[in-house]
Amino acid sequence: QVHLVESGGASVQAGGSLRLSCATSGGTLNSKTVAWFRHTPGKEREAVALTYPGGRLTRYADSVKGRFTISRDDSKDNVYLQMNSLKPEDTAMYYCAALLRAGTVWDDIGNYNYRGQGTQVTVLS
């Protein structure tokens, strides 16, 4: 059973940077698609970024393109989300999800077999 654990969330001033980490116990992320999602109460959950196994292929939401970078370190079995030029509207609980089921869209967290409990990011204006 794969158990995902996110870390790195914090409060930061607008314009600042954070790096979120997604780690796993009881399994490996190395051969799995991994995505980051975010959710703010009162808003729909948003898919933020996706990385395929190997890390060469990625996808991003338009709202974060050019500011966020998803990467993976297979030697550490971690997936990261580097967030730069943060804006107050980036404030959310950020979740990682792993193992996208074949033939499904990447931007629906329900299409992943595993998800973590989240880490809070607050961007202060």
Side-chain angles (χ1 to χ4, degrees):
Q1 182 71 16
V2 174
H3 177 64
L4 301 180
V5 180
E6 302 93 338
S7 62
S11 294
V12 63
Q13 293 289 328
S17 298
L18 283 174
R19 189 179 80 157
L20 306 183
S21 298
C22 176
T24 181
S25 61
T28 179
L29 294 177
N30 289 353
S31 61
K32 298 178 176 64
T33 49
V34 179
W36 285 95
F37 289 79
R38 63 186 182 186
H39 183 238
T40 301
K43 296 183 179 180
E44 289 190 4
R45 185 183 293 115
E46 180 184 18
V48 175
L50 169 75
T51 178
Y52 289 91
R56 292 185 179 181
L57 295 179
T58 58
R59 299 188 66 171
Y60 295 93
D62 288 343
S63 59
V64 306
K65 281 181 181 176
R67 299 188 299 123
F68 291 11
T69 303
I70 190 170
S71 63
R72 59 198 309 159
D73 185 339
D74 287 347
S75 67
K76 297 181 179 179
D77 209 10
N78 278 10
V79 173
Y80 305 102
L81 185 68
Q82 178 67 43
M83 306 186 295
N84 299 328
S85 302
L86 283 162
K87 305 175 181 179
E89 52 262 43
D90 295 318
T91 295
M93 184 72 77
Y94 284 71
Y95 302 86
C96 65
L99 192 55
L100 177 65
R101 288 189 284 277
T104 63
V105 295
W106 78 277
D107 57 354
D108 183 345
I109 199 170
N111 292 334
Y112 294 79
N113 282 15
Y114 309 105
R115 70 188 74 173
Q117 295 299 307
T119 185
Q120 178 68 38
V121 171
T122 301
V123 184
L124 306 172
S125 58

